[in-house]
Amino acid sequence: MKKYLNLFDFSQKVNYRTEILSGLTVALALVPEAIAFAFIAGLSPLTGLYAAFVMGLVTSILGGRPGMISGATGAVAVVIVSLAKQYGVEYVFATVVLAGILQMTAGLLRLGKLMRLVPHPVIFGFVNGLAVIIFMSQMSQFKTTDGEWLTGSTLFIFLGLVLLTMVVIWGLPKLTKAIPASLAAILLVFGIVFFLGLDTRTIGDIASIEGTFPPFHIPDLPFTLETLQIIFPYAAIVAGVGLIESLLTLNIVDEITETRGRGNKEAVAQGTANILSGLFSGMGGCAMIGQSLINTSNGARARLSGIVAALMLLVFIMFGSSLIEKVPMAALTGLMIMVALGTFEWASLKTFRRMPKSDVLVMVLVTLVTVFLHNLALAVLVGVIISALVFAWDNAKRIRARKYIDEEGVKHYEIYGPLFFGSTTLFAEKFDVLNDPDEVVIDFAESRLVDMSAIEAVNKITERYNKVGKKLHLKHLSRDCRRLLANADDIIEVNVLEDPTYKVVVDK
């Protein structure tokens, strides 16, 4: 039965059964990942679990994308591992708090709109790379604690349970959607292992998750300029990686749910969550694409699922650790492999022959950087830079001019295409200064002066005509361009009535 839930400025239809069961599934899947990411960072398992609880709860309540799950992540763990080893956990807590402040600032300054600059091939590459990372991270479950591959009956039991989990997740939705397939798979495998007494690895074999409510703790370190110099570079990277991964995940969930999230609100929520995570003994984090896809694939669309996941995780830590530690790792491994398969944009492979080669290059490069360097921020940055350079090159070739002489003997140059640093050379080659008549008009009605290189190009062409004693008129320049042009009163004639006004779209 669907009812209405109104939480903070959101009025949504909520299927309570779906939301609660999906939240329980996500909570189960959060446990091994939070522990694994804490180990990656060289921290105790509870540090990762506390971060998953705080991040998940705060962002579910305050975030700009209902249904999206946040927690401790590998992207953040990779950044802080060297800090933890060199300076200790107290510096990690302080770094997380400072990163949260930076993220809140970015949200309040409405910098979330910068995600518009991330092209679709970069998102494809990011998603595909992340899918490969999720899949490869599960391969460690097929190894012993000594790093050797499983063999014999141990391997066959584990592999059989993984395949059973995958089959249930794939096939159950085709029969019924009364219960989330991932939760059903976990419960089925748990029952088989429990009642048949199968010897297979469980969550408890990795680490104990027993603990108390996250303790409030102000980082115990000297509050000096030297400390700030140590933690600020790490905090800036954590803030950047967290925002990039969170906002890209937000875009992906937007596409799946065919709704629109609020990036700036999510940035503020992520910052708030990281501040509280650092103050409550957590390692920080950001949005988790894998858990978010589990949640949305279960049909969850509201804040309730994330709140339930966070609260159930706390219940596991405080009261249910002995039971949760018996959940087979094979079930969670199968679940994460299915998440990886669902995350990968298989449709992107079919577009190789139809997409521009530059887009294919960007997509593949972002995927490779993500997979081999495990640096999502760097991968996205590389993709955006290459896409921007390709765009600039393509647009540089599109500057053109329509030329004609009117009945009064005045030559007109009607410029088409953007004039910017990449197109200034071609722009200058359009004019025949020596052979042109004494009066020339350059019309920018279909063009736009984009940067200082364009302004300088216009200045140079006016100077060239001025030196040979010819009169030049510049028409349809926007107001901002006219203000920047030197000597405007002497050599530039502008039709103010027809001038277009250019403005940047701003979120409200």
Side-chain angles (χ1 to χ4, degrees), residues 477-497:
L477 284 168
S478 60
R479 294 177 185 273
D480 55 339
C481 298
R482 288 186 289 113
R483 281 197 299 267
L484 293 174
L485 283 168
N487 303 318
D489 292 338
D490 298 331
I491 58 176
I492 299 174
E493 178 181 304
V494 181
N495 188 334
V496 177
L497 293 177

Side-chain angles (χ1 to χ4, degrees), residues 66 92 151 246 356:
V92 171
T151 57
S246 297

Side-chain angles (χ1 to χ4, degrees), residues 47-62:
T47 306
L49 291 168
Y50 287 156
F53 163 68
V54 175
M55 294 294 302
L57 182 63
V58 174
T59 56
S60 293
I61 295 174
L62 302 178

Side-chain angles (χ1 to χ4, degrees), residues 24 27-32 35 49 186-187 190 202-205 207 209 312-313 315-317 319-329 332:
L24 177 60
L28 289 170
L30 278 172
V31 173
I35 293 172
L49 291 168
I186 292 173
L187 294 176
F190 177 84
T202 64
I203 290 178
D205 295 328
I209 67 168
M312 289 305 301
L313 181 61
V315 170
F316 295 160
I317 295 170
F319 308 109
S321 59
S322 59
L323 180 62
I324 299 303
E325 287 172 5
K326 295 178 181 178
V327 172
M329 284 303 302
L332 299 176

Side-chain angles (χ1 to χ4, degrees), residues 77-220:
V78 170
V79 175
I80 63 176
V81 59
S82 59
L83 177 68
K85 288 181 178 178
Q86 188 172 355
Y87 295 99
V89 69
E90 298 296 333
Y91 280 79
V92 171
F93 294 152
T95 297
V96 171
V97 172
L98 181 56
I101 294 172
L102 295 177
Q103 290 177 328
M104 282 191 67
T105 303
L108 294 173
L109 293 176
R110 308 183 72 81
L111 298 183
K113 70 182 72 175
L114 295 179
M115 286 305 298
R116 299 173 184 168
L117 300 178
V118 180
H120 221 62
V122 175
I123 295 178
F124 275 160
F126 167 83
V127 171
N128 291 347
L130 207 53
V132 174
I133 289 177
I134 293 173
F135 179 82
M136 294 303 296
S137 67
Q138 301 309 305
M139 295 301 100
S140 62
Q141 301 301 328
F142 290 87
K143 295 181 179 180
T144 64
T145 54
D146 298 326
E148 300 292 331
W149 290 100
L150 297 177
T151 57
S153 60
T154 304
L155 173 61
F156 291 122
I157 291 174
F158 189 85
L159 184 59
L161 294 174
V162 169
L163 292 176
L164 176 61
T165 304
M166 295 173 65
V167 169
V168 172
I169 294 175
W170 171 78
L172 185 61
K174 301 179 186 300
L175 301 176
T176 178
K177 295 185 179 179
I179 181 174
S182 48
L183 178 59
I186 292 173
L187 294 176
L188 176 62
V189 172
F190 177 84
I192 291 174
V193 171
F194 181 79
F195 289 109
L196 296 183
L198 298 180
D199 183 18
T200 186
R201 185 185 304 160
T202 64
I203 290 178
D205 295 328
I206 299 178
S208 172
I209 67 168
E210 183 178 3
T212 61
F213 188 87
F216 178 78
H217 174 72
I218 296 176
D220 184 15

Side-chain angles (χ1 to χ4, degrees), residues 232-366:
F232 185 82
Y234 292 98
I237 297 174
V238 168
V241 168
L243 284 182
I244 289 175
E245 187 164 355
S246 297
L247 295 178
L248 284 180
T249 303
L250 182 146
N251 287 344
I252 293 168
V253 176
D254 280 354
E255 290 185 6
I256 294 173
T257 61
E258 297 182 352
T259 56
R260 184 184 178 188
R262 299 170 61 184
N264 293 313
K265 184 175 182 179
E266 183 63 35
V268 173
Q270 290 288 333
T272 304
N274 271 312
I275 292 173
L276 293 175
S277 176
L279 294 176
F280 283 89
S281 308
M283 59 178 279
C286 60
M288 307 178 74
I289 187 171
Q291 310 304 331
S292 298
L293 289 175
I294 291 175
N295 199 38
T296 54
S297 65
N298 288 336
R301 296 291 184 270
R303 299 178 183 276
L304 184 60
S305 56
I307 295 173
V308 169
L311 294 178
M312 289 305 301
L313 181 61
L314 181 62
V315 170
F316 295 160
I317 295 170
M318 297 179 65
F319 308 109
S321 59
S322 59
L323 180 62
I324 299 303
E325 287 172 5
K326 295 178 181 178
V327 172
M329 284 303 302
L332 299 176
T333 299
L335 170 60
M336 294 309 298
I337 290 177
M338 290 301 289
V339 168
L341 295 176
T343 302
F344 196 92
E345 285 283 355
W346 299 100
S348 64
L349 301 180
K350 301 178 182 178
T351 61
F352 269 31
R353 294 183 179 179
R354 298 194 294 269
M355 290 173 61
K357 292 181 179 179
S358 58
D359 285 350
V360 174
L361 172 64
V362 168
M363 184 173 66
V364 172
L365 186 60
V366 171

